[in-house]
Amino acid sequence: MAARRTAAAGSGGDTESSPFDAFVPLDELMPWSSRPLRTGRAWVTGPDPEALRARWERLAAADSAEQERLFAPTRSRTPHSSVAALPGQSTGTARFARTPGPCPDPVRIQHGPYDEQWLLPDHRLIDAARPELWRVADAQQLFAVDHSAAPEDAGPALSVTALLPDGHSPAGRPGRIRPLHRRPGGTEPNLAPGLLELLRGRLGGGAAPDAFTPEAVLAWILAAARPSASGVLVPLPADAEVWSSGVALGRELLRLQLRGARGGERPRLPGGRRPYVRAALPVRPTELSYDAGDETLVVGDGRISPVPAGAWEFTVGGVRVLELWFGRRAAAGRGPEGAAPDGLDAVGARGWPREWTSELLELITVLALLDGTAGPRKELRAALEAGPLISRADLRAAGVLPVPSSARRPASVLGHQEEGPEGQFALL
């Protein structure tokens, strides 16, 4: 078993004392990472973009005292803060209290691993927007987010998205955000320098040409990563066949999680297993339940089927994904139980938009298909426990580790001026 594996299986050396000893921290494989976004106020994000626009208009039209209250000031942001524009966004940089400007178009973000929501992309409203991530967010970029800190957690150790992620788990824990590329245009992979060359040299005999691209490494990480109390760990195989099978599995996981982004195929269940609305969802459903016998998701008076049990039971960080997704929408625009709605958070969607039903059907599909990969993931885990690994000692001997400190910092990617506070320009 892995607990008895020695480093000789990889290159020769020390005895491993636990199954994780030969694994490599994700922090050493993808060294540049960012802390999660910190909005400072819940009302700047939500599942309905029209509600965000309505919140903006209410705030912009309020008098000074009411605007101060609605804004929900923090030490980082108040209506009088003056900050630079977010990279790639043409929003105001004058103080909001003086010149709000027009409402910016809400942008789609990844809220936790499986929920896509909207954000008002105005730096004056966000405590910590992580501008370095916005600078590299483009059509070629992918973001990996670790969201599982406990080794006993049965859910995936990380997720991948083409959207800008907020970096929080369903349980509310912060995770690290790791872009695949350090520069726009899909250039300079965020991988330990020399890693691709080492993998190609050790595992490249007879492998497909695309088995050692940055995206292939990300696919491997997605398929093989393990959660631990100290962070996400990644086993690197010393067997080319194991590498190829893991990359293939990871590419399928990528396809499912990206949901058709970057020209990919949208996830679909086989005919006869695709979920459909059997009874129309009400205007404002408040309850969600599951009928296992009929494989039916009951949404208020509405019914969706077939919904596989694996989709209903799918959890991340101990939280059932479908229940959390529904709860966020059912609570939109409503105050805490027993209290009247107040503030901008109370400005929610008018009813249940048709788009939410489409999103729910797609989420059911994604979760069902991800649950269907449990068998291949167990097979990959068994192969890694039985076979040799490339150890951290191997990476040190090849000069891949330790990672240079420059690789842990954002690259200097600014090729144009960005608008700074009060309309001034800054060049980084």
Side-chain angles (χ1 to χ4, degrees), residues 302-383:
R303 298 175 73 85
I304 297 174
S305 67
V307 176
W312 171 250
E313 298 292 345
F314 198 99
T315 61
V316 176
V319 178
R320 186 174 284 154
V321 172
L322 282 176
E323 285 187 319
L324 180 64
W325 184 94
F326 173 79
R328 287 168 172 162
R329 285 152 181 79
R334 298 177 178 176
E337 185 175 351
D342 189 29
L344 295 178
D345 295 326
V347 181
R350 297 179 179 179
W352 183 275
R354 182 179 302 175
E355 291 79 9
W356 288 3
T357 301
S358 298
E359 293 171 17
L360 177 56
L361 293 174
E362 182 173 71
L363 179 59
I364 292 168
T365 299
V366 168
L367 297 181
L369 291 170
L370 285 173
D371 181 68
T373 66
R377 286 188 283 115
K378 287 182 180 178
E379 292 175 4
L380 178 61
R381 177 172 295 210

Side-chain angles (χ1 to χ4, degrees), residues 142-214:
L142 294 175
F143 296 95
V145 185
D146 61 85
H147 47 72
S148 179
E152 65 274 11
D153 187 350
L158 72 159
S159 60
V160 176
T161 176
L163 300 173
L164 185 73
D166 64 11
H168 291 276
S169 76
R173 291 192 299 264
R176 303 296 296 190
I177 302 172
R178 302 177 193 275
L180 178 58
H181 302 287
R182 290 170 51 80
R183 299 179 185 276
T187 58
E188 190 178 334
N190 179 27
L191 298 173
L195 177 63
L196 285 174
E197 291 76 10
L198 178 139
L199 293 172
R200 190 178 295 113
R202 294 284 297 267
L203 307 172
D210 64 349
F212 301 101
T213 62

